[in-house]
Amino acid sequence: MDVASKDRLRAVDLAATVGISVQQVRNYVELGVLPPVRRTASGYRIFTGEHARALTVARRLAEGHGWSRTREIMAAVHTGDLPAALAALDGGHAELDRERAEIRRVLGAFETVLASPPAARPAPRHGARIGEVAALVGVRTSQLRLWEERELLRPRRTPGTNYRVYDEAELRAAQVIALLRRGAYPFEIIAAVLGELRTTGSAQRVRAELARREQELHTRSLRRLRGSAALHDYLRGRGDAG
């Protein structure tokens, strides 16, 4: 059935609704972000209100899920593969859940670090040898070597003898690792904690930064929720929402 003239949109009008170029509209059609288009006898594309709605939904989805996943979701919808679209959508929400859990675990690790007592004594001014560090931290030297192999510790080496020497920062890092391992934290969490400490230099500042990231995660979660709601309305309008 022909589309009534009053329901037709020009590509330039469709592009203007969300502030993109006509070429982007064409790209979205090719990628499946927009529904397939019909053409006039002379070859012009026929856009309708459905394309405008799809474009609005895609932009809302992209705010929360990013364009890569949005293309996947919308293309699945427009090829009739609703299970694939829902799986992609669920994957996005699951990613946020994993990221939130990771932040909370790292925050918990920092709370453990902040609550820990200071070192019994600082490293010597010239640095401490591996045996001294092991005694200060309360672990075997083999543990320190293992942590170095995992790139958690970075002792310098003395010229000629190649002995390991730990400065104050590396002694503190060894103490943090030992503390978190006693708390059963996995190495990937410990690596994240040490990376933040080495970058920021202050456990308190790192804790504040992680709290800020957690708040940003809440914002992203709300954006994804709005995108999911817009998609549901779009599916319902197409008769695909059950």
Side-chain angles (χ1 to χ4, degrees), residues 118-137:
R121 64 183 176 87
R125 186 170 60 183
H126 62 275
R129 297 283 181 84
I130 189 169
E132 295 174 296
V133 173
L136 285 170
V137 175

Side-chain angles (χ1 to χ4, degrees), residues 49-195:
E50 183 181 8
H51 295 93
R53 289 188 292 275
L55 186 56
T56 299
V57 170
R59 302 288 285 192
R60 181 57 61 85
L61 276 173
E63 289 174 2
H65 291 272
W67 273 109
S68 179
R69 178 167 279 110
T70 295
R71 288 193 294 268
E72 182 182 359
I73 293 169
M74 297 300 286
V77 168
H78 294 139
T79 56
D81 192 352
L82 183 59
L86 295 177
L89 194 70
D90 291 344
H93 291 290
E95 283 178 4
L96 286 185
D97 185 59
R98 288 192 295 270
E99 192 172 342
R100 183 175 286 105
E102 179 81 358
I103 288 175
R104 286 176 179 170
R105 292 184 76 184
V106 175
L107 272 171
F110 270 109
E111 294 299 334
T112 300
V113 171
L114 288 170
S116 66
R121 64 183 176 87
R125 186 170 60 183
H126 62 275
R129 297 283 181 84
I130 189 169
E132 295 174 296
V133 173
L136 285 170
V137 175
V139 299
R140 296 176 183 271
T141 56
S142 58
Q143 283 294 102
L144 296 176
R145 294 190 184 97
L146 172 63
W147 297 343
E148 184 181 348
E149 289 176 8
R150 289 181 171 271
E151 300 183 347
L152 299 174
L153 290 177
R154 305 171 186 173
R156 63 181 174 85
R157 298 281 186 150
T158 58
T161 63
N162 207 35
Y163 288 142
R164 294 173 174 84
V165 178
Y166 298 77
D167 61 16
E168 190 67 36
E170 289 307 299
L171 172 58
R172 178 57 175 160
Q175 292 167 332
V176 168
I177 298 168
L179 178 69
L180 296 181
R181 287 301 289 166
R182 285 195 289 271
Y185 284 97
F187 283 116
E188 58 268 22
I189 296 296
I190 296 172
V193 169
L194 290 176

